[in-house]
Amino acid sequence: MKMAILGAGNIARKMAATISEMENVESYAVASRDLQKAQEFAKKWNVQKAYGSYEEMVNDPEIDLVYVCTPHSLHYEHMMLCLEHGKHVLCEKSFTMNAEQARKVLDYGKKKNLLVAEAIWTRYLPMRLVLDQILERRVIGEPHALTANLCYPIKGVRRLVDPGLAGGALLDVGVYTINFAMMVFGNQIETIDSTCIKTDSGVDESNSITLTFKGGKMAVLHSSMVSTSDRRGAIFGSRGYIEFLNINNCEGINVYDKDYNLVETYKPFRYITGFEHQVEACRKAIENGELECKQMPHSEIIRVMEVMDTLRKQWGITFPTE
């Protein structure tokens, strides 16, 4: 499979490093609005072709899959561009700015008979399956509640405080806490309550979210771009609890019984960077003629965006281009 990267920022470098070590994927092309930047990127990461415009790259007939990793505000436009030119798409989170954009992209992908996937890598990591199996075995009994937090002191990154680029903690790091809750409790969310502290530019700097799910289950979530947190998830059940170390890139899972004894522990599998799992999921889906990845189906992509739309509405935050 020949893969192209649309955008040449930090996360693009991580993807390039990943696919350079994968067996069934070729590092074929990269595009930036700055040709020199694209050429330097291609040279450093052994990418065959460098393009100075996104339009030029998506016109290349050799490309199978495009990884979109531009700012959130441009995801919709760039995915539509790829689909228009017959390219399968893997787009970085947050998938789009809002659910309406997400629906339009997914509908267009179906119309064009092309795969559209979200690169929310935590959904594809093998440790997600380990967690699923622990829950299925009912080691902690019936899970009733969970907590999750993800905070990094990243306020200095310009795009994160710029409403024009769909900035804020929610779409950048809060999205992981919501995905963690939905991976455990499903998508039948009954109530959404929240509060946030805003930056001077009007996006959310820190937020606190409480979701209740069908069956009387509750998730309490926190994300921020001004502090450092332990990044932990915890799931509380009738016979014990699970400690999930780093919801952003699992470093281990510990299971405790109701007497607080450690009864099971799991370490993560060896991998290149972790990004290879989403790329391989896309490769297999394309091979099988599927339009979505089972790890992150279209219905889940839309549901996450709907939750974030509701939260931003509660906070009175709209982006200029909405």
Side-chain angles (χ1 to χ4, degrees):
M1 179 177 76
K2 290 184 177 177
M3 190 161 167
I5 299 172
L6 194 154
N10 283 337
I11 203 135
R13 290 194 277 275
K14 188 170 181 177
M15 181 57 83
T18 307
I19 56 181
S20 69
E21 292 188 46
M22 291 182 73
E23 284 178 13
N24 300 313
V25 184
E26 212 177 302
S27 262
Y28 179 76
V30 62
S32 169
R33 286 183 174 142
D34 176 343
L35 179 59
Q36 190 183 342
K37 188 179 179 183
Q39 287 170 336
E40 286 168 3
F41 185 101
K43 189 179 176 185
K44 184 172 182 182
W45 298 106
N46 257 350
V47 182
Q48 288 180 42
K49 291 192 173 184
Y51 289 100
S53 88
Y54 304 143
E55 292 75 14
E56 200 183 346
M57 186 179 78
V58 295
N59 273 301
D60 187 328
E62 292 290 306
I63 294 166
D64 298 306
L65 174 69
V66 179
Y67 171 62
V68 174
C69 53
T70 46
H72 302 145
S73 56
L74 299 171
H75 286 178
Y76 172 76
E77 175 192 329
H78 292 153
M79 280 193 279
M80 292 299 263
L81 178 71
C82 294
L83 294 169
E84 192 185 324
H85 289 84
K87 304 290 186 270
H88 300 288
V89 178
L90 171 64
C91 183
E92 207 29 81
K93 59 83 206 160
S94 155
F95 187 69
T96 47
M97 283 195 293
N98 54 48
E100 185 188 3
Q101 284 187 339
R103 286 189 198 95
K104 284 179 182 173
V105 171
L106 297 173
D107 286 347
Y108 192 49
K110 281 172 190 157
K111 187 180 166 188
K112 299 284 280 185
N113 203 36
L114 293 164
L115 173 89
V116 184
E118 182 176 10
I120 177 88
W121 68 321
T122 52
R123 292 262 186 168
Y124 302 84
L125 290 172
M127 289 303 270
R128 184 238 171 128
L129 296 175
V130 173
L131 179 62
D132 288 347
Q133 287 160 5
I134 295 165
L135 292 167
E136 276 166 26
R137 288 191 290 111
R138 314 284 285 179
V139 185
I140 64 163
E142 179 69 23
H144 290 293
L146 68 79
T147 61
N149 74 77
L150 191 63
C151 310
Y152 295 104
I154 46 177
K155 198 179 174 184
V157 179
R158 190 182 74 83
R159 70 171 180 84
L160 291 175
V161 292
D162 187 347
L165 295 176
L170 178 66
L171 267 63
D172 206 69
V173 287
V175 64
Y176 286 110
T177 66
I178 294 163
N179 272 280
F180 181 77
M182 286 173 60
M183 281 191 278
V184 176
F185 289 151
N187 62 17
Q188 291 184 289
I189 298 165
E190 295 186 337
T191 65
I192 300 173
D193 294 287
S194 68
T195 187
C196 88
I197 293 167
K198 294 181 188 177
T199 63
D200 293 341
S201 59
V203 297
D204 71 297
E205 175 178 285
S206 300
N207 59 63
S208 175
I209 301 160
T210 302
L211 307 175
T212 63
F213 293 77
K214 189 178 179 182
K217 299 175 191 301
M218 180 181 284
V220 180
L221 315 171
H222 171 57
S223 66
S224 173
M225 59 179 175
V226 292
S227 54
T228 302
S229 74
D230 60 16
R231 304 177 297 186
R232 292 192 182 196
I235 303 158
F236 311 124
S238 55
R239 293 206 307 270
Y241 64 97
I242 297 166
E243 186 180 39
F244 194 92
L245 309 176
N246 191 354
I247 63 159
N248 191 25
N249 183 9
C250 185
E251 293 164 12
I253 298 173
N254 296 322
V255 186
Y256 296 84
D257 65 18
K258 61 180 172 43
D259 296 315
Y260 307 98
N261 300 307
L262 180 64
V263 290
E264 291 179 12
T265 187
Y266 302 88
K267 293 292 176 201
F269 300 83
R270 284 183 174 274
Y271 47 69
I272 304 166
T273 62
F275 276 21
E276 66 268 31
H277 302 294
Q278 58 197 356
V279 175
E280 184 59 17
C282 289
R283 190 189 69 77
K284 283 181 179 169
I286 292 165
E287 207 173 74
N288 296 330
E290 293 159 357
L291 306 185
E292 60 188 335
C293 291
K294 66 179 187 296
Q295 294 91 338
M296 186 58 174
H298 291 174
S299 57
E300 289 285 279
I301 291 174
I302 290 168
R303 192 72 185 104
V304 171
M305 292 311 308
E306 285 173 343
V307 171
M308 295 200 294
D309 283 359
T310 301
L311 292 164
R312 286 196 298 115
K313 192 175 180 183
Q314 289 177 1
W315 305 337
I317 295 173
T318 53
F319 302 127
T321 50
E322 285 186 293

